[in-house]
Amino acid sequence: MADARNPRLSIDIVSDVMCPWCIIGWLKFEQVMAHFSGRIDFRVQWHPFELNPDMPPEGEDAGEHVVRKYGISAEQSRANSARLAAIAAELGFVFNRGPGFRMRNSFDAHRLLTWAGALEEAEQVEATGVQTALKLALFRAHFTDNRDVSDHAVLADVAASVGLDRVRAAAILTSDDYAEMVRVEEAYWADRNVTGVPAFILDGRMMVPGAQDPEVFIRVIENRVLAAAR
């Protein structure tokens, strides 16, 4: 339960389900929230960013995608994947990027996340709600279970798994609902110089880019949030 005496800190996270550093960044940030438990009341909201807005419906082999996009060798790509998997494992998350692992179009996933965010109360006591639950379930579906999170049936199943109405989720996916909201949000964050993800915006004004170690966030919050509240 929130304590009225504690400062309340909004955390806006600009992120893509396709981004491995985004789940790593979140798991690190959970440690930050635990560090300030009883001292700060957090409120987390997620916002859309597409790493590959032109990704075709069939997706692309992840290894080939990385080699093509970043101009590295297949060996370097495999080494990077192994490094990411090791970091994630230390944080309790499983990357299961087998031979069939593909990058997917994430626009429809962002539409469902925008819907989930709209269902939350703006002044809810809890730091996270159903939007965060859906985001984490989508990360698991993509990176751990190797499911196609551009497929409408998969997306509806994932939404239902966190307590959302599957029928409503399916209806959203077969319509254009929330599409314009996603595009407007993407443009909003692009105008604010968010060019990569994850990006954490603290209190609507302080951006911390990347999957930073907890100590970075702790230092920023101590010096620029708690100090100002004293």
Side-chain angles (χ1 to χ4, degrees):
M1 181 175 293
D3 188 328
R5 297 168 297 181
N6 292 338
R8 186 167 173 81
L9 183 60
S10 67
I11 307 295
D12 293 291
I13 308 175
V14 186
S15 163
D16 191 3
V17 174
M18 294 295 107
C19 167
W21 286 111
C22 289
I23 178 58
I24 289 171
W26 168 251
L27 294 170
K28 291 182 177 183
F29 193 77
E30 283 188 312
Q31 298 177 20
V32 177
M33 293 195 294
H35 175 85
F36 287 108
S37 178
R39 300 170 61 197
I40 293 178
D41 297 324
F42 290 90
R43 176 70 173 94
V44 175
Q45 293 175 293
W46 298 82
H47 304 280
F49 185 100
E50 293 176 84
L51 287 170
N52 305 289
D54 299 321
M55 182 64 67
E58 68 274 13
E60 183 180 10
D61 176 84
E64 293 175 5
H65 171 81
V66 170
V67 168
R68 176 184 61 78
K69 184 173 182 178
Y70 299 105
I72 62 176
S73 68
E75 184 178 343
Q76 288 172 313
S77 175
R78 287 190 294 271
N80 289 343
S81 294
R83 175 170 169 258
L84 284 167
I87 294 170
E90 290 179 358
L91 296 165
F93 188 87
V94 176
F95 278 3
N96 183 26
R97 298 173 63 160
F101 184 71
R102 298 180 74 78
M103 298 296 291
R104 303 289 182 179
N105 188 294
S106 58
F107 187 76
D108 285 337
H110 286 305
R111 289 202 293 136
L112 285 192
L113 286 161
T114 302
W115 165 54
L119 295 175
E120 297 185 356
E121 295 292 335
E123 298 303 320
Q124 70 180 36
V125 172
E126 297 81 6
T128 62
V130 69
Q131 189 192 40
T132 295
L134 177 59
K135 184 77 174 188
L136 300 183
L138 288 167
F139 278 135
R140 287 191 297 271
H142 177 57
F143 286 112
T144 303
D145 301 332
N146 199 9
R147 300 178 75 186
D148 178 358
V149 294
S150 68
D151 180 89
H152 287 185
V154 170
L155 285 170
D157 285 345
V158 174
S161 76
V162 299
L164 289 165
D165 185 332
R166 191 188 191 285
V167 173
R168 176 62 181 135
I172 289 169
L173 293 166
T174 56
S175 72
D176 290 328
D177 288 0
Y178 297 96
E180 186 61 23
M181 289 180 68
V182 170
R183 294 188 182 100
V184 167
E185 273 221 74
E186 289 178 331
Y188 174 88
W189 293 111
D191 286 345
R192 279 147 186 80
N193 298 317
V194 175
T195 58
V197 287
F200 293 77
I201 295 84
L202 284 56
D203 198 28
R205 56 192 176 87
M206 296 172 284
M207 184 171 74
V208 180
Q212 302 289 346
D213 287 335
E215 293 75 20
V216 173
F217 286 103
I218 290 170
R219 186 165 60 250
V220 171
I221 293 170
E222 288 279 9
N223 295 338
R224 300 184 63 179
V225 177
L226 289 181
R230 292 190 183 108

